[in-house]
Amino acid sequence: MPTYTAPTKDMQFILHDVLKIADSDVPGYSDLESDFTGAVLEEAGKISSEVLQPLNAIGDTEGCTFENGVVRTPTGFKDAFEQMKAGGWTGLDMPEQYGGQNMPYVLGTAVGEMFSAANQAFVMYQGLTHGAASAILAHGTDEQKDTYLPKMVSCEWTGTMNLTEPHCGTDLGMMRTKAEPQGDGSYKISGQKIFISSGDHDMADNIVHLVLAKITGGPEGIKGVSLFIVPKFHVKEDGSLGARNGVSVGKIEEKMGIHGNSTCVMDYDEATGYLLGDEHKGMRAMFTMMNEARLGVGMQGVSQAEAAYQNAVEYAKDRLQGRDVTGTKNPDGPADPLIVHPDIRRNLMDQKSFTEGARAFLLWGATLIDQAHRSEDKDADGLISLMTPVIKGFLSDEGYDMTVQAQQVYGGHGYIEEWGMSQFTRDARIAMIYEGANGVQALDLVGRKLAQDGGKHVMAFFDLVKTFCKDNAEVDGMAEFVTPLKTASKDLQGASMYFMQNGMTNPNNALAGSYDFMHLFGHVCLGLMWARMAKASLEALANGTSDRAFHETKLTTARFYMARRLPMTATHLARINTGADTIMALDAANF
C-alpha cells in the first residue's frame, strides 16, 4: 500500500532560502524563524504519516454511509478528527480572539499540503470549515462572529458552502432556493443543493451551512442572490444547541473519488437562516470563501501529485525490468531497476519538477495573501487575485496529470487497486471541477482578471519577472535559468497582446485561447519559481552548505524544468494566435 513522508526539508528551503519569510516586514513573520517553522512542520508531518495517511485507503474503500437520516464517516475518521482538534491544527491561522493561533496563512498552507497529501477526503472537513469561518469573519456581525466562530475554529462545529443546484452550477443566477423574510429578522430557506462537500457527518456537534438563496421579491439573476447562515441545529442565546433546523440530507453522492468525504444532497424545508453580509450581495460574501477554497484546490492538485510521485519513485527503484541499454547496472539480479530507463526518468522528472515548482508557487501565493490581509497591501491583493485562477486551474490540471504519470510507472500494477495508486488519480480528478471548473477559471482569468484595475496587476507581474531577469542576468550560474524564463515571459506578453488586439473585435478569439493562456501563465510562474530556487541553491553552494546533494539536486531539477517543461509556453502561444475560427467552425449539428 502507498506511504507518505512530508517534504518538510523542501518546505523549509522554500520558506527560508527562497521566500526569506523571517526577514519580511509582514506582521507575524518575524516569529517564523527556521527552528519554529521546522518544529511545526515536523509535528504536522508526523500526524500526516502516522494518523491521516493510514486512514486514506480505509476512507476510499469504506466511504461514508447514510442510514436512517444519519451520515457516518469511515472507520477511524472520528478519532483522527479529535486528534486534529486537540492539537489546535484546525485553527492554526485563525484569530486568537476566537480560539485560533493566529499563525500566518503561509504556514497554514504548508501544513495544509501535508494533511491533504496524506488524506485529501479527511482534511476537507476542516478545510470547508475554515473557509466558512473566513466568510463569517469577513462579513458577519459581531453577534454572528461570537456565536459561530469559536466553535468553528475549534471544529466542534464544522461548516459547508452551498451553491450548486440540480439545474444550475456555474450559472448561479438561475438558482431557485428561496429565502422568505420573517418578522424577527430571520429568513425561511427552502430549496435543494447538490454536491455539498462535508454536508453532514458524525464528527461535529453542529454543522453551519452557508447557503446561497434569493430573497423573495429581490432582483432577478445573480444580482438577487444573498448568503445565509443556516445551522443544522438552532443555537440558543447561551450558545447551547436547540432543536433540529429544517435541513436534511437527501442522499450521499456516489463519486469517482474522495469517498471518505460525505458529499451530500441537502434539502432545505423552511429552515431558519440568518443573512450574512448585505441583501443581494451574496456572491461578494461567498467569494471570500470560494477564493480561499480555490487556492486550497490548487494545493490539492499538488498534494496528490506529491504523494503519488513519492510512491512511484520507490517502485521505480525496486522493480526490476529490462537492462540498461548503456550497460548492466544490477549484475547480480535478473534485470535492472526501472529507474535506469530514460523514459521512466523523464516521467519521474516531470513529476518532481512540477511538485517542487508548484509548492514554491503555492507558498509564494500564500505570502501575497498575508501581505494583503496583514499589511493591507492592495498591490499584493490585486496580484493574488490575478493568480488565483492560475493556481487553481493550472495546478489542479497538472497535478492530476502527474498522478496519471505516477500510475504509468507501475505499469499494470498502477491500474490494480491492490497497489493503491488509482486513488491518487481518482481523488485528484475532482480538483479540476469543483470550486469552479477549470474552463471557468480560464475564462475568469482572461475575461476579468487581466483587465482588472486597468491591467495594473498583470503589468506588475511582467515587471516582477523582468526585474528578476535583469538583476540576475550577470550573476554567475544564472544565465541558464534567466534566458528561458525571459523567453517564456515574452510568450506570455505576446498572448496578452493578442487578446488586446483581437478580443474586442471578436471576443471568441480571447475565450478560445483562455485555457492555453492559463497554462502558459502557469508555466511562467513555475519558471520564475525555479529560477528563484536555482538562485537560492547557487548561493547555498557558494557559501559552503553542508548539504550539497540537496542543492545540486535542486539545480539539476531546475535545468530539467527550463529545458523540458517551460518551452510549452511557445506551443500555447501558437495555439492562442490561431484565434477562434477553427474552434467555432462546426455547426452544432455536425459534432
Side-chain angles (χ1 to χ4, degrees):
M1 294 302 293
T3 60
Y4 172 71
T5 302
T8 53
K9 188 175 185 178
D10 196 50
M11 290 178 176
Q12 284 284 82
F13 166 71
I14 295 168
L15 292 174
H16 297 286
D17 293 26
V18 180
L19 300 177
K20 301 183 186 299
I21 57 173
D23 298 335
S24 170
D25 59 2
V26 173
Y29 273 38
S30 61
D31 296 329
L32 300 182
E33 295 290 346
S34 179
D35 288 347
F36 175 75
T37 59
V40 173
L41 296 178
E42 287 296 331
E43 188 60 31
K46 287 180 183 178
I47 293 172
S48 299
S49 60
E50 297 174 8
V51 178
L52 302 186
Q53 194 279 332
L55 297 176
N56 199 34
I58 293 172
D60 186 52
T61 54
E62 286 189 13
C64 296
T65 58
F66 178 49
E67 188 176 1
N68 298 324
V70 178
V71 175
R72 301 196 185 282
T73 51
T75 302
F77 270 43
K78 195 168 185 178
D79 288 342
F81 204 60
E82 290 301 316
Q83 290 187 58
M84 296 291 276
K85 290 191 288 186
W89 296 105
T90 60
L92 188 68
D93 57 1
M94 296 300 284
E96 290 179 287
Q97 178 182 356
Y98 302 108
Q101 299 183 53
N102 203 36
M103 291 290 106
Y105 186 79
V106 68
L107 188 58
T109 300
V111 169
E113 186 207 319
M114 298 183 200
F115 290 163
S116 183
N119 195 326
Q120 178 179 329
F122 174 90
V123 80
M124 286 172 64
Y125 290 99
Q126 68 191 64
L128 269 295
T129 306
H130 189 288
S134 295
I136 294 173
L137 184 64
H139 301 282
T141 65
D142 288 342
E143 181 181 1
Q144 287 172 336
K145 294 175 188 177
D146 291 341
T147 298
Y148 297 103
L149 289 183
K151 299 285 190 180
M152 294 178 74
V153 167
S154 67
C155 271
E156 292 175 69
W157 300 351
T158 59
T160 71
M161 55 193 300
N162 287 237
L163 291 80
T164 306
E165 300 183 6
H167 58 282
C168 73
T170 302
D171 191 354
L172 292 170
M174 295 173 61
M175 72 174 57
R176 297 172 185 162
T177 301
K178 295 295 183 184
E180 294 282 353
Q182 305 298 299
D184 61 357
S186 66
Y187 294 78
K188 291 296 184 185
I189 312 297
S190 297
Q192 186 179 78
K193 299 289 185 177
I194 63 172
F195 307 156
I196 308 307
S197 300
S198 312
D200 200 82
H201 54 86
D202 58 354
M203 299 192 297
D205 296 332
N206 201 7
I207 299 175
V208 181
H209 302 287
L210 298 192
V211 183
L212 286 178
K214 290 182 176 179
I215 297 173
T216 304
E220 292 297 318
I222 199 68
K223 294 182 179 179
V225 173
S226 301
L227 184 61
F228 299 89
I229 298 173
V230 186
K232 176 180 177 180
F233 290 98
H234 293 287
V235 182
K236 299 178 182 179
E237 289 188 8
D238 63 359
S240 62
L241 297 182
R244 177 74 180 257
N245 205 352
V247 53
S248 61
V249 177
K251 68 172 184 176
I252 296 179
E253 305 281 13
E254 295 187 15
K255 312 183 295 293
M256 175 180 176
I258 56 169
H259 296 152
N261 193 267
S262 53
T263 307
C264 300
V265 172
M266 302 301 300
D267 294 318
Y268 294 88
D269 184 11
E270 294 193 344
T272 300
Y274 307 93
L275 185 68
L276 179 59
D278 299 326
E279 284 190 359
H280 317 311
K281 302 294 183 182
M283 291 309 298
R284 182 174 66 182
M286 181 59 84
F287 266 110
T288 297
M289 185 174 185
M290 286 185 68
N291 282 335
E292 178 180 313
R294 284 171 175 171
L295 296 171
V297 169
M299 178 186 70
Q300 288 177 347
V302 179
S303 69
Q304 296 310 295
E306 171 66 30
Y309 164 72
Q310 288 187 15
N311 288 278
V313 168
E314 291 305 311
Y315 187 85
K317 290 178 179 179
D318 292 341
R319 178 74 168 178
L320 302 181
Q321 291 283 288
R323 289 295 188 187
D324 188 337
V325 295
T326 64
T328 298
K329 296 296 187 291
N330 180 33
D332 296 331
D336 290 329
L338 278 173
I339 203 164
V340 306
H341 304 303
D343 191 60
I344 295 294
R345 291 290 191 100
R346 171 203 57 79
N347 186 319
L348 294 173
M349 287 300 289
D350 276 351
Q351 296 174 59
K352 180 178 177 64
S353 64
F354 167 73
T355 56
E356 293 179 17
R359 178 174 300 117
F361 184 26
L362 272 174
L363 293 175
W364 175 55
T367 65
L368 293 176
I369 291 176
D370 281 329
Q371 284 177 248
H373 293 172
R374 289 173 172 254
S375 300
E376 299 183 359
D377 185 332
K378 292 184 178 179
D379 290 337
D381 190 50
L383 188 54
I384 192 57
S385 178
L386 171 70
M387 294 296 173
T388 295
V390 183
I391 290 172
K392 194 280 185 187
F394 178 69
L395 297 188
S396 62
D397 273 354
E398 292 286 298
Y400 172 79
D401 285 348
M402 295 307 157
T403 66
V404 173
Q405 289 196 202
Q407 270 189 303
Q408 194 72 13
V409 172
Y410 280 71
H413 289 304
Y415 197 67
I416 302 299
E417 293 295 338
E418 176 187 351
W419 289 81
M421 293 303 289
S422 76
Q423 185 183 352
F424 298 124
T425 302
R426 289 185 287 101
D427 286 356
R429 183 66 182 89
I430 186 57
M432 302 162 71
I433 298 172
Y434 59 14
E435 308 306 339
N438 285 354
V440 175
Q441 302 302 316
L443 296 179
D444 178 48
L445 175 63
V446 170
R448 292 180 62 246
K449 298 300 176 61
L450 282 185
Q452 190 172 358
D453 296 330
K456 172 183 177 181
H457 306 301
V458 71
M459 293 305 298
F461 179 78
F462 291 149
D463 286 344
L464 189 155
V465 176
K466 181 180 179 180
T467 299
F468 178 89
C469 291
K470 182 179 179 180
D471 290 348
N472 292 281
E474 304 300 324
V475 174
D476 286 346
M478 282 299 292
E480 61 181 320
F481 308 108
V482 168
T483 300
L485 175 60
K486 189 184 300 184
T487 299
S489 181
K490 287 180 179 178
D491 288 342
L492 184 62
Q493 294 175 59
S496 302
M497 185 62 67
Y498 175 84
F499 292 151
M500 291 174 61
Q501 294 173 343
N502 298 276
M504 293 297 291
T505 55
N506 181 4
N508 280 343
N509 282 330
L511 301 183
S514 61
Y515 214 94
D516 279 287
F517 185 80
M518 179 177 72
H519 276 252
L520 198 168
F521 208 147
H523 277 297
V524 174
C525 289
L526 262 64
L528 176 61
M529 293 301 106
W530 272 114
R532 292 181 67 178
M533 288 190 287
K535 182 180 180 181
S537 283
L538 285 170
E539 290 175 349
L541 289 168
N543 292 331
T545 177
S546 60
D547 194 353
R548 295 188 63 85
F550 175 87
H551 294 286
E552 288 171 351
T553 299
K554 190 66 68 174
L555 288 169
T556 300
T557 311
R559 292 185 187 105
F560 175 89
Y561 196 89
M562 296 300 185
R564 302 279 302 203
R565 303 285 294 168
L566 193 55
M568 282 300 299
T569 59
T571 299
H572 290 302
L573 176 60
R575 286 157 58 106
I576 289 167
N577 283 333
T578 65
D581 289 348
T582 57
I583 290 177
M584 304 305 293
L586 278 183
D587 290 334
N590 295 330
F591 275 87

